[in-house]
Amino acid sequence: MFSIPRPSRRHLLVGGAVGALALAATAVLPSPDAMAATGCAVTYTTNSWPGGFTATVAVKNLGDPVSNWTLGFTFPDGGQRVVQGWSATWQQSGSSVTARSVDYNGALGTGASTTVGFNGSWTGSNPSPTSFTLNGTVCTGGTSTPPPSTPPPPPTTPPPTGTTPVAINGQLQVCGVNLCNQYGRPIQLRGMSTHGLQWFANCYTDTSLNVLANEWQSDLLRISMYVQEQGYETNPAAFTAQVNTLVDKAEARGMYALIDFHTLTPGDPMYNLDRAKTFFANVSARNAAKKNVIYEITNEPNGVSWSTIRNYAEQVIPVIRANDPDAVIIVGTRGWSSLGVSDGSNSDEIVNNPVRAQNIMYTFHFYAASHQDNYRNEVQRAASRLPLFVTEFGTVTYTGDGAVDTASSNAWLDLLDRLKISYANWTFSDAPEGSAALRPGTCASGSFSGTSVLTQSGAYMRDRIRTPDNFPTS
Ligand code: IDC
């Protein structure tokens, strides 16, 4: 007696049993020519003996002709191995096996077959693979023609029809830690803040705002509506109307309008919670359809914990969202909007306990002559973790007065430019203090054009703001 290995079992597999997979495979693995018909049938036959086997794999192309092919399958048992193959270049990674055609059998016309094979080993059991792919298409024994490739969808946002900041960027949104435009691209807005509307209404006229938009090329106007100090609380209807008028004037000039609920003293925003809800309910209902409005719900909380500010935010934000679901909302931070630094804290308290709302940013304020490297370092650290907006800063000391600190102002604005953090400078007004951009008497004169009306800070800021913007449109 002598023995030769005998087929212990014959296993014939035509992949029709796995037809349910065909659609998924053609959908996610289109052939190089998306219009090509694809299809294949595979017959896998084994001679098996303890620990070893020979496999013969007949591949039939049922689709359009191919000039080369890759066969793929997965061994069902982790112990199965290709030891030596022929008529193809064999590779195994884990349980996945691929066989690539060689020169002489790469071309397979429609209906043509080729046979490849290998010697294998096995340990636990030696079941045959149950599914095969040819050039990514699952072999079902039939063919499928993928639907014609669809042309790329038209851009969801058509190109801008104007050249102003709002015409180009449209409705803003927060994406990641950035402020993004309607194309989902990060942008930086650079502009000016009003002074208190109760004191400087004559600085915000059609003429002055034309100069701000056209000569300064300002992207935004921050509308600072004080709540105390003879502000909103003394006449809510009148201040609300004044804010709305300025929103319209900014819109007419293609500038964004930052509606600043300018709380300062007392520093606890909860003191003004009911006023904030009333005010923001009104302005958000009235301006919901506009694309140029950004809401700043509290200017500079101070003497309160982050959790109190967060609680305030989580009560005011829903009031705005009920009317204006897609607007960006900016939340003040602890220690006069210093991210907590002026209170000996830092941005970790926000990162660890963020406001539970979408499409929001956090405020950072600085005064260049007072706030230096330790503040800059914290902004840089926070900027990778939180969306930041510098809604107010001065080139001078935190008192709003004194000389321009050019070196520190440069360091700050270079940093903000690099990080694409938007900013508004305090103030586009003729207040008799170093932070004001306009010389005293300018607003009463009614003439705002040129540089002769500017203070040192105003000249500095105008130069920074009027440099070209970088607003991507695709
Ligand atoms: C200042 C004004 C000043 C005014 C004072 C009180 O420049 O004319 O008398 O407020 O209303 C802030 C505040 C901002 C301050 C500014 C400068 O947001 O209201 O304006 N500042 O002190 N935070 C840090 C500095």
Side-chain angles (χ1 to χ4, degrees):
M1 289 279 291
F2 63 94
S3 71
I4 55 167
R6 279 172 48 84
S8 59
R9 63 185 166 139
R10 284 183 67 81
H11 194 108
L12 189 71
L13 233 180
V14 177
V18 290
L21 293 173
L23 266 182
T26 52
V28 297
L29 291 166
S31 61
D33 172 2
M35 287 301 290
T38 58
C40 43
V42 169
T43 309
Y44 182 96
T45 313
T46 56
N47 277 340
S48 187
W49 59 90
F53 67 108
T54 296
T56 303
V57 190
V59 181
K60 185 171 189 178
N61 176 26
L62 300 174
D64 289 343
V66 297
S67 54
N68 52 65
W69 46 264
T70 300
L71 170 75
F73 62 85
T74 301
F75 281 132
D77 188 292
Q80 293 167 296
R81 290 279 173 274
V82 173
V83 176
Q84 187 196 9
W86 52 87
S87 302
T89 306
W90 293 85
Q91 275 183 342
Q92 182 170 354
S93 171
S95 294
S96 298
V97 178
T98 56
R100 291 193 172 75
S101 58
V102 287
D103 283 350
Y104 62 85
N105 64 6
L108 282 183
T110 304
S113 296
T114 190
T115 299
V116 297
F118 63 92
N119 286 328
S121 64
W122 56 275
T123 51
S125 62
N126 190 30
S128 297
T130 54
S131 177
F132 301 86
T133 60
L134 190 70
N135 289 349
T137 294
V138 176
C139 298
T140 64
T143 56
S144 71
T145 305
S149 62
T150 44
T156 47
T157 310
T161 53
T163 58
T164 68
V166 176
I168 297 169
N169 295 299
Q171 177 60 55
L172 304 173
Q173 53 185 314
V174 179
C175 45
V177 294
N178 293 299
L179 180 67
C180 291
N181 65 13
Q182 62 182 331
Y183 304 98
R185 301 288 301 272
I187 60 165
Q188 179 198 33
L189 300 177
R190 299 171 296 158
M192 295 297 292
S193 175
T194 71
H195 204 297
L197 301 182
Q198 74 275 39
W199 300 310
F200 293 91
N202 67 341
C203 293
Y204 314 110
T205 63
D206 286 335
T207 307
S208 73
L209 295 176
N210 284 344
V211 170
L212 187 63
N214 301 329
E215 292 188 25
W216 288 56
Q217 295 279 299
S218 185
D219 304 323
L220 84 125
L221 177 72
R222 180 190 192 224
I223 301 167
S224 287
M225 187 198 70
Y226 276 71
V227 184
Q228 278 72 47
E229 302 186 56
Q230 299 303 304
Y232 175 83
E233 65 179 0
T234 66
N235 191 341
F239 280 96
T240 302
Q242 191 179 9
V243 168
N244 286 331
T245 299
L246 291 174
V247 167
D248 292 351
K249 288 186 188 298
E251 182 188 38
R253 292 161 178 78
M255 290 190 288
Y256 288 92
L258 189 46
I259 299 182
D260 164 30
F261 193 69
H262 201 86
T263 58
L264 185 58
T265 308
D268 184 350
M270 286 300 191
Y271 178 83
N272 288 303
L273 178 63
D274 288 343
R275 292 182 196 89
K277 287 181 177 177
T278 301
F279 172 73
F280 282 109
N282 284 328
V283 293
S284 63
R286 195 261 187 189
N287 299 304
K290 296 184 188 295
K291 294 180 176 172
N292 74 318
V293 176
I294 304 169
Y295 301 95
E296 182 182 359
I297 61 176
T298 175
N299 168 49
E300 289 190 354
N302 56 88
V304 288
S305 67
W306 166 242
S307 67
T308 298
I309 302 166
R310 179 179 183 256
N311 182 5
Y312 168 87
E314 291 184 352
Q315 294 193 61
V316 175
I317 291 169
V319 171
I320 299 172
R321 288 278 182 258
N323 296 321
D324 192 345
D326 63 355
V328 172
I329 299 175
I330 308 174
V331 180
T333 60
R334 184 174 156 201
W336 296 272
S337 287
S338 68
L339 296 171
V341 178
S342 291
D343 270 359
S345 183
N346 60 50
S347 60
D348 291 348
E349 64 187 18
I350 306 170
V351 172
N352 295 334
N353 216 359
V355 173
R356 287 162 292 189
Q358 300 300 308
N359 219 22
I360 63 162
M361 306 186 81
Y362 296 93
T363 310
F364 180 78
H365 287 176
F366 68 87
Y367 280 76
S370 305
H371 307 122
Q372 305 262 0
D373 282 342
N374 60 320
Y375 288 86
R376 282 190 281 267
N377 292 341
E378 181 60 10
V379 166
Q380 176 146 354
R381 195 173 77 93
S384 64
R385 305 184 298 165
L386 296 170
L388 302 179
F389 199 126
V390 173
T391 60
E392 179 187 311
F393 77 95
T395 59
V396 299
T397 70
Y398 70 87
T399 64
D401 206 359
V404 172
D405 185 332
T406 306
S408 178
S409 296
N410 284 339
W412 271 114
L413 296 186
D414 290 349
L415 177 68
L416 300 187
D417 290 354
R418 182 161 63 75
L419 298 173
K420 286 197 192 298
I421 296 177
S422 299
Y423 63 71
N425 175 250
W426 186 261
T427 57
F428 191 65
S429 83
D430 64 354
E433 55 189 13
S435 56
L438 306 171
R439 291 187 177 172
T442 300
C443 298
S445 82
S447 166
F448 298 86
S449 186
T451 52
S452 65
V453 297
L454 302 177
T455 64
Q456 186 190 357
S457 188
Y460 174 88
M461 286 312 309
R462 182 178 182 269
D463 282 348
R464 292 286 314 206
I465 290 174
R466 71 203 299 262
T467 59
D469 288 305
N470 177 13
F471 295 147
T473 56
S474 61

